Amino acid sequence: MHDIVCLEALELSEAIAQGHVSCREVMTAYLDHIEAVNPTINALVAVQPREVLLRQADERDRELGAGHRRSWMHGFPHAVKDLTEVAGIPFTAGSPIHRERIGRVDDAFVRRLRNAGAVIIGKTNTPELGFGSQTYNPVWGTTVNPYDTTRTVGGSSGGAAAALAARMVPVADGSDYMGSLRNPAAFTNTVGFRPSLGRIPKPGYVAQLSTIGPMGRTVTDVARLFDEVMANSDPGMPLACGRDRSDQRSEPADDLTGTRLAWMGDLGGHLAFEGGLLELSESSLRAFEDLGATVEHVVPDFDFDELWDAFLVWRWWHSVDFAELYDDPKTRAQLKPEALWEIENGLRLSAREISRANKVRTRWHQTVAQLFERHDFVAAPTTQVFPFDAGQHWPREVGGRTMDTYHRWMETVAPWSLTGCPVLALPAGFDDRGLPAGIQLIGPLRQDLSVLATGRLYEQQTQWVTRRPPEPTRHAQAARP
């Protein structure tokens, strides 16, 4: 494996800026590595022709030669999640309905990536229309886990997480409604960040739960991608928000002395877990304690069945966006069962049900706000299972309990999506099979930089990404003829 792809994103940025490597050399190294590794992992899709990408890399080199460096991402190869439109590149969303669709324009945050000097090399794989935390679809196939290629990488930002873990991209973007930046990060020993509501804005007036966010192998890289490239305040997007002036903890202290952390665990027995997962996640809290933090087991006084029901209503309401695909019998026949279930439930919703779910969400936000009056951060497991068989669409049973929906097995992320608070997915270690786990670090609304700074201290204490990388060289050898 070429030394260039072993560099973390910030190291790569400095190497390009100092002239130690050219943008062409970077692009060549990554494309060579992708050709060796991706046939096994299947994380990247719609990869553009080498000659086209090298021409763009040469243009970045000419800019550097003229004294123009666009940003820290200048010359980075970057792949965009296939739920986002990129001009001139397939935009399938993993759906056979859109198999032939090509992007006409760049999404707003893609324009920011290009302006930052990144070269868009293709897309990262995703479940069909983003439904489900298992990255398979009939257009591009299944993405597998670099830590065990018989197992899933999660989703819906599964292609992004797998590409990061296998070092096919320096950093990545994803999106998150129900853990889609967090679940794949936990399954691949990487880092995903769901920012506060409005930090990376989307069009519209309804505070739906989906948000775009950054992913990387280090918290530092994630913070840089978020703060310098992806986040912005767009006057054309009514729910956009600028940075809160109180959010100043971008440079962390040396430790966490005096910091109070609330651990959610299984929410007082409400959540089911695969054997060993909860214990492994909880063991990661020792790193916070070693840094001087106080950890307290907390179960908020709330009806979590009622909260789950409210979450379902919000998601069903969001799924009505796909009603046109459902209305046409030809496209309806091509939707997977989980998508049909979501859309049909959405079409049956009444205004009263939506109003009731909104009130539950408001009460939950108030409960969490009160929690943050007593604690600086909240921590929770990122997943309820370890990476499962890549041929299995979703776990039907967890810890002896039957899962009543295709996403109930990842309920641990849903409460925090509803709050709109910043959530950082961090590695939490491995079980005795070598399968990764993760934890969520949640902060008060719009305290994104504080969450990232605290996560950086945890990362320095644990160093899971450095200590336990996957073996992309082994996969590369297996993929060669």
Side-chain angles (χ1 to χ4, degrees):
M1 185 169 57
H2 200 289
D3 289 345
I4 288 174
V5 303
C6 290
L7 297 173
E8 300 306 347
L10 188 56
E11 295 173 331
L12 177 64
S13 176
E14 292 171 351
I16 294 172
Q18 294 170 12
H20 298 319
V21 294
S22 68
C23 298
R24 171 175 269 265
E25 288 173 326
V26 170
M27 184 61 70
T28 299
Y30 269 94
L31 293 179
D32 287 349
H33 186 58
I34 289 165
E35 288 178 2
V37 174
N38 197 52
T40 301
I41 306 297
N42 194 36
L44 300 183
V45 299
V47 177
Q48 297 300 285
R50 178 181 284 256
E51 60 272 17
V52 172
L53 298 175
L54 288 176
R55 282 200 298 270
Q56 293 182 58
D58 288 342
E59 176 59 28
R60 296 292 178 269
D61 279 327
R62 285 192 289 271
E63 290 174 344
L64 289 175
H68 176 47
R69 181 173 180 249
R70 297 191 185 198
S71 83
W72 80 290
M73 287 187 75
H74 191 104
F76 274 28
H78 190 91
V80 175
K81 184 176 177 180
D82 195 26
L83 297 183
T84 299
E85 188 169 8
V86 179
I89 295 180
F91 178 31
T92 73
S95 170
I97 297 169
H98 303 308
R99 187 185 297 271
E100 304 301 325
R101 183 172 66 175
I102 304 295
R104 294 177 296 173
V105 298
D106 284 342
D107 184 89
F109 91 87
V110 176
R111 292 196 297 271
R112 294 197 291 276
L113 287 168
R114 288 197 198 272
N115 290 339
V119 176
I120 309 301
I121 63 172
K123 293 291 194 74
T124 56
N125 203 18
T126 185
E128 180 182 336
L129 301 175
F131 287 114
S133 190
Q134 219 284 49
T135 300
Y136 68 94
N137 63 67
V139 180
W140 303 109
T142 301
T143 300
V144 296
N145 197 314
Y147 281 92
D148 183 339
T149 56
T150 69
R151 294 178 182 268
T152 182
V153 72
S156 61
S157 307
L164 277 170
R167 294 190 175 270
M168 288 187 270
V169 288
V171 288
D173 65 80
S175 57
D176 186 309
Y177 194 105
M178 187 187 179
S180 291
L181 285 159
R182 293 166 279 167
N183 176 259
F187 278 3
T188 58
N189 193 43
T190 56
V191 179
F193 183 54
R194 178 190 168 92
S196 291
L197 175 69
R199 283 284 192 246
I200 304 176
K202 301 179 72 174
Y205 284 90
V206 176
Q208 262 296 348
L209 309 188
S210 179
T211 182
I212 292 164
M215 302 184 77
R217 290 183 297 271
T218 74
V219 176
T220 298
D221 292 345
V222 166
R224 199 81 180 266
L225 177 57
F226 165 69
D227 198 35
E228 297 188 22
V229 180
M230 297 182 76
N232 81 325
S233 184
D234 190 324
M237 299 181 185
L239 297 184
C241 63
R243 182 182 301 165
D244 191 320
R245 292 183 179 179
S246 67
D247 187 11
Q248 297 294 330
R249 199 177 177 186
S250 58
E251 293 298 327
D254 293 333
D255 59 31
L256 294 175
T257 300
T259 299
R260 299 158 299 174
L261 192 73
W263 171 244
M264 296 290 108
D266 62 359
L267 296 177
H270 175 76
L271 301 174
F273 282 85
E274 181 179 344
L277 192 284
L278 183 61
E279 294 79 7
L280 177 58
S281 301
E282 188 169 343
S283 70
S284 68
L285 301 176
R286 287 196 296 269
F288 292 103
E289 293 174 325
D290 290 343
L291 288 163
T294 300
V295 178
E296 179 185 359
H297 287 64
V298 176
V299 179
D301 184 13
F302 208 88
D303 185 338
F304 291 106
D305 287 321
E306 181 185 37
L307 189 66
W308 173 251
D309 290 342
F311 175 84
L312 290 179
V313 169
W314 274 90
R315 189 168 173 91
W316 291 335
W317 183 17
H318 166 73
S319 300
V320 177
D321 288 348
F322 299 98
E324 290 183 2
L325 301 180
Y326 184 85
D327 291 340
D328 185 337
K330 292 181 180 179
T331 53
R332 183 194 308 168
Q334 298 179 70
L335 292 169
K336 69 179 184 179
E338 293 83 359
L340 287 170
W341 179 79
E342 296 276 17
I343 297 168
E344 288 171 349
N345 276 290
L347 293 173
R348 285 193 290 263
L349 283 176
S350 68
R352 176 170 290 183
E353 288 173 304
I354 293 172
S355 176
R356 185 182 302 120
N358 188 47
K359 290 176 182 177
V360 173
R361 184 181 180 185
T362 299
R363 285 195 289 106
W364 172 239
H365 172 78
Q366 293 167 345
T367 297
V368 174
Q370 292 171 0
L371 184 65
F372 282 127
E373 292 175 1
R374 303 185 302 275
H375 299 87
D376 300 290
F377 301 99
V378 170
T382 306
T383 66
Q384 295 166 236
V385 298
F386 289 101
F388 50 88
D389 189 287
Q392 182 181 6
H393 288 180
W394 50 275
R396 263 63 175 183
E397 179 271 332
V398 176
R401 297 190 209 173
T402 299
M403 298 291 101
D404 56 356
T405 74
Y406 77 101
H407 45 24
R408 191 67 180 255
W409 59 275
M410 48 186 299
E411 185 179 352
T412 182
V413 297
W416 316 111
S417 293
L418 285 163
T419 66
C421 291
V423 189
L424 180 62
L426 294 162
F430 296 77
D431 73 355
D432 56 10
R433 297 167 295 179
L435 299 178
I439 59 166
Q440 303 172 84
L441 182 67
I442 304 110
L445 188 64
R446 302 194 179 97
Q447 295 297 298
D448 301 66
L449 298 184
S450 296
V451 172
L452 289 163
T454 302
R456 173 62 176 150
L457 284 177
Y458 168 89
E459 177 181 75
Q460 291 172 335
Q461 188 76 11
T462 57
Q463 293 292 342
W464 280 117
V465 173
T466 302
R467 288 164 56 189
R468 293 287 292 272
E471 299 181 37
T473 50
R474 174 169 57 84
H475 303 320
Q477 290 170 350
R480 292 192 185 100

